[in-house]
Amino acid sequence: MKTYTIKDVAHLSGVSVRTVSRVINNDPHVKAETREKVLKVIAETGFEANLLAKSLREKRTNTLIAFVDQHRGQFWGAFHNEMLQEMMKEARRSGYRMVISSSSADSYTEDENDGFYLLKHGMADGAVMFDTKEKDKRVEYLRSKKVPFVILGKDRDHFDTSYVDLDNVYAGYLAAQYLVSKGRKHILFMLGNRDYIVNQERAEGIRRYLAENPDPGRQARIEYDVGNIEQAYSRTKEALAGTPRPDAIFISGDERAIGVYRAVYEQNLRIPDQVAVLGIDKIAMGAFYHPPITTIDQQIPAMAQTALRILFQQLDGSGQNGMRTLIAPSICERQSV
Amino acid sequence: MKTYTIKDVAHLSGVSVRTVSRVINNDPHVKAETREKVLKVIAETGFEANLLAKSLREKRTNTLIAFVDQHRGQFWGAFHNEMLQEMMKEARRSGYRMVISSSSADSYTEDENDGFYLLKHGMADGAVMFDTKEKDKRVEYLRSKKVPFVILGKDRDHFDTSYVDLDNVYAGYLAAQYLVSKGRKHILFMLGNRDYIVNQERAEGIRRYLAENPDPGRQARIEYDVGNIEQAYSRTKEALAGTPRPDAIFISGDERAIGVYRAVYEQNLRIPDQVAVLGIDKIAMGAFYHPPITTIDQQIPAMAQTALRILFQQLDGSGQNGMRTLIAPSICERQSV
DNA sequence: CTGAAAGCGCTTACAG
DNA sequence: CTGAAAGCGCTTACAG
């Protein structure tokens, strides 16, 4: 099937290209009769305006891009999925299309197939950056080129970038406070990689609570590098074999908690009686663990909406630089603590 | 920061636009010295060729788009994620960028923000279609416009479309066979919505095995509309309350199996001793359930690669229409049966 | 090895 | 209410 251009439609309906452009853009200054005529031809030909040409001319694509990292061969998980879903809804409501692409802080420069290439080369108007690193070159780039973007997470390298993040210090604080308030004495806090700001902050919050509320009968320990389900499993297994055996485990990420659960059950221990498990994220799936996992709510919908609104403001020029929003976490009580 | 065009670079380096175009496209017919000069200016200016213009001119974007449906407010899950990951790797290897977008069979026509809009309007060269429906208008559209695409799943409406699918009849057959071979007598098969071909086929395979191997002492039942974790949970709960109590459950989708596990454990039953659970998909997470779930392997990497290769052939014109590949499922034995 | 010019398919002042 | 023409930023025969 031939693919028609605006020119074809113009010829076929006996008007100028300018007029066709008017009708496809809903310009009111077209005689009803003319509009009909053109619309008819469009319907018959199946004409669709070429977005490449339109965007090139208008210098905007009306599409946003969200970058997610394929962490070391692993993929984004349920948390990212839920966040992305909310963002897509929000984008749609505001007349933007949103597309997801993978991009990694490390490989973007050389790799033409890293999704970041699309943004650098003008295929999107703005970006949501997940999984940024410290001194992330992509952030540097977007900043210097004045491309609208918002970070999901924290940026300590600049003052003028915008981000939305959970208050992770508070999240750590809450985690410690909650577990202690439930009478737990031997608490293991399992966090991801130490290089990520999020984990540093959670550790800080945990330490702060512990320091503020000393208890000689308590033992608490922070472990890093628990970066996926498998590690959550093996590290929990090790921990449960030690003495004293932890009676509570905080695990960074509800999804990874699956590994914790398995290790606990393999020792024939019960959750929460013998070992309490506290997660964070509040992904939907967590409500169906056995038992449903008590977790720290990241307020995924609020985070997503806030991030996109900041981005929209940058896009229409009404936003200021360096808008930073910290979302307050809260405990979602279920049955694992 | 000013954004430079090829024209700026040409002026700045004292050559023509044509020559700049040559160096950015690695045309060998450029004097080394000239190339140096141009490259230097490019580095200094931070020039990046505009992809919109390039694509408009070349009539190809070098990007592929994968469409995933947000099923009724739910999002795609771990299975989709793993499939998408494999596809992105494969695309990258072959010099394509790949982007993910949400699109639904129902809303794509009216909705400018449905991702399908991008493809219709020329922002990608080809598509991978997840979650198509029967009489899917999008498939109709792509077919008539001769846009390269491949379906992940089945298409019964045409002969000339290409797809890659698991042999779902065989998968159902295998599920029944395996569970029966393990001596299970009261088997519950939980499938998703009856309107999806995949579920019809799995049911067919199950029935075929059962019919071929009659056993008066056996009771087997197929239930539909178990479409998410929550339903898997509640329907399992109901089933376990009935008599005779199932001693084996096949659940369509490892992720949904989480709900099955929970319901089983809440009745203080043991897996697999009292209730065997067989999943399908072989998502990574399943290896960390308690116990690790025995599942039907969908061969995700093979499926993804096959799909993309078919798409590549269509893109370079070497492919024929109607390439259909059926992947053979196999049992991945772990500890839940 | 290099360049002038046309053209990809749109939109947009500017005229009328 | 409608149109002729320039221009968005590239690539590509065609010449030389």
Side-chain angles (χ1 to χ4, degrees), chain A residues 140-242:
Chain A
E140 219 57 76
Y141 178 88
L142 296 172
R143 223 174 129 252
S144 72
K145 294 283 186 180
K146 302 210 185 312
V147 176
F149 72 101
V150 57
I151 296 173
L152 239 101
K154 198 145 290 173
D155 175 22
R156 283 178 175 168
D157 300 324
H158 319 92
F159 292 111
D160 58 354
T161 53
S162 294
Y163 64 68
V164 179
D165 197 12
L166 189 72
D167 185 337
N168 280 302
V169 176
Y170 186 31
Y173 191 91
L174 259 184
Q177 181 182 52
Y178 185 71
L179 260 11
V180 166
S181 79
K182 294 294 177 183
R184 303 291 167 165
K185 295 292 184 188
H186 304 298
I187 312 178
L188 173 59
F189 296 90
M190 299 203 293
L191 304 176
N193 191 285
R194 192 175 227 132
D195 293 343
Y196 287 102
I197 297 175
V198 43
N199 298 314
Q200 295 166 16
E201 292 190 335
R202 289 178 185 176
E204 184 191 331
I206 293 165
R207 283 200 209 91
R208 189 189 307 177
Y209 178 82
L210 264 19
E212 286 175 10
N213 301 271
D215 174 356
R218 183 175 62 215
Q219 294 198 18
R221 189 165 90 251
I222 295 176
E223 287 199 12
Y224 291 95
D225 290 319
V226 182
N228 58 34
I229 302 183
E230 179 162 10
Q231 286 159 3
Y233 167 68
S234 56
R235 302 286 286 278
T236 302
K237 195 168 168 174
E238 282 172 34
L240 293 176

Side-chain angles (χ1 to χ4, degrees), chain B residues 6 18 21 25 50 57:
Chain B
I6 194 174
R18 180 67 182 92
S21 174
N25 289 292
N50 181 311
R57 190 50 229 259

